[in-house]
């Protein structure tokens, strides 16, 4: 009862009703925050359980979402019976479902784009497959090259990885592989209690969107009124700061010096309690010292202004 229904494929746990929300919110909301409010088209390869689809369709700007899963009919039937809370996206008119091999679908779409000048690039792509290596055709350089051909310069691709604690070598290997194809290849993480080690990771890929330096329209995000269980703006940025044993094996990772001069939140978010600015340690020390000096100067000026008044009162006495 505690975990609710559990989906297992080939002996490997996929989701539970208890904590699927952690995984799916982090898969969708982290990258989509950068694409607000302009994203129009998205693609999910895998994801037949409907969890990523359901959350993706919460973004009203999207006009089309393609869901491609070779086992779509079987997994969809299981979802509708045992995870009905995730099945709403299957009925959304914006959803286009394809029970097809993801590798072949991408190959055909790549040819269609070459032949059709009006082909609309895909703004956001999710690889929500089984564990890395299980679907071999989805992890080759050639596949990612074709997939990138469906994207624009401003698009984002997210790949589900593995446990960065127990399978650090796999996480590092995939990050290094795809860093050769994308300018930005940043690993981020989430707490996933029922997955391997309880520590899970994703790979954020783009040629133009830097997860620390690219601004997010948090006003548009607030306007969505998402009812999140795990994700929030603080978790968004915090997820990119990795344990040292993971960070040192990657070609790039988030660091404090990546924080913009104006902070992540130049405008306050009163409904989420987000601070206006996050200071670096050395900047915080300077700010505290400056505020103390300014306070002392103000007190001295007030005392000086008050002294003639006291002198006048004493003369009258």
């Amino acid at each position: 009862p505690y975990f609710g229904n559990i989906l297992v494929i080939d002996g490997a746990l996929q989701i539970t009703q208890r904590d699927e929300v952690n995984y799916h919110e982090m898969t969708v909301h982290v990258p989509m925050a950068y694409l607000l409010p302009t994203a129009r088209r998205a693609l999910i390869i895998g994801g037949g359980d409907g969890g990523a689809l359901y959350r993706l369709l919460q973004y009203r700007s999207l006009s089309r979402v393609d869901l491609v899963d070779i086992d779509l009919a079987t997994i969809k039937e299981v979802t509708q019976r045992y995870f009905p809370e995730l099945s709403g996206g299957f009925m959304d008119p914006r959803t286009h479902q394809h029970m097809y091999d993801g590798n072949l679908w991408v190959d055909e779409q790549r040819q269609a784009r070459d032949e059709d000048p009006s082909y609309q690039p895909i703004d956001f792509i999710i690889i929500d497959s089984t564990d890395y290596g299980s679907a071999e055709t989805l992890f080759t350089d050639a596949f990612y090259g074709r997939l990138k051909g469906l994207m624009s310069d401003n698009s984002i691709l997210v790949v589900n990885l593995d446990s960065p604690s127990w399978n650090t070598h796999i996480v590092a290997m995939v990050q290094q592989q795809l860093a050769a194809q994308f300018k930005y290849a940043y690993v981020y993480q989430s707490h996933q209690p029922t997955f391997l080690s309880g520590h899970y990771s994703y790979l954020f890929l783009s040629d133009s969107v830097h997860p620390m330096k690219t601004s997010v329209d948090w006003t548009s995000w607030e306007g969505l009124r998402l009812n999140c269980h795990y994700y929030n703006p603080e978790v968004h940025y915090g997820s990119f700061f990795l344990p040292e044993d993971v960070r040192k094996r990657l070609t790039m990772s988030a660091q404090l010096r990546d924080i913009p001069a104006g902070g992540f939140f130049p405008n306050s978010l009163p409904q989420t309690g987000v601070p206006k600015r996050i200071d670096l340690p050395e900047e915080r020390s300077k700010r505290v010292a400056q505020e103390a000096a300014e306070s002392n100067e103000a007190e001295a000026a007030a005392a000086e202004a008050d002294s003639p008044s006291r002198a006048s009162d004493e003369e009258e006495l």
Side-chain angles (χ1 to χ4, degrees), residues 43-47 66-70 96 98-102 105:
L43 165 66
I44 305 171
I45 297 180
D66 287 284
L67 175 65
V68 184
D69 193 315
I70 196 169
H96 297 255
H98 314 272
M99 191 173 68
Y100 207 54
D101 180 278
W105 190 89

Side-chain angles (χ1 to χ4, degrees), residues 24 53 70 72 85 103-104 109 116 128 138 140 144 146 154 156-158 167 173 192 197 212 235 251 288 311:
H24 289 127
L53 176 67
I70 196 169
L72 181 59
E85 66 276 11
N103 183 51
L104 295 177
Q109 289 295 304
D116 183 3
D128 185 12
L138 299 184
T140 64
Y144 285 108
R146 292 194 300 274
N154 298 319
I156 298 174
L157 165 65
V158 162
N167 288 326
M173 178 182 67
Q192 200 64 41
S197 83
M212 295 289 106
V235 166
T251 64
V288 171

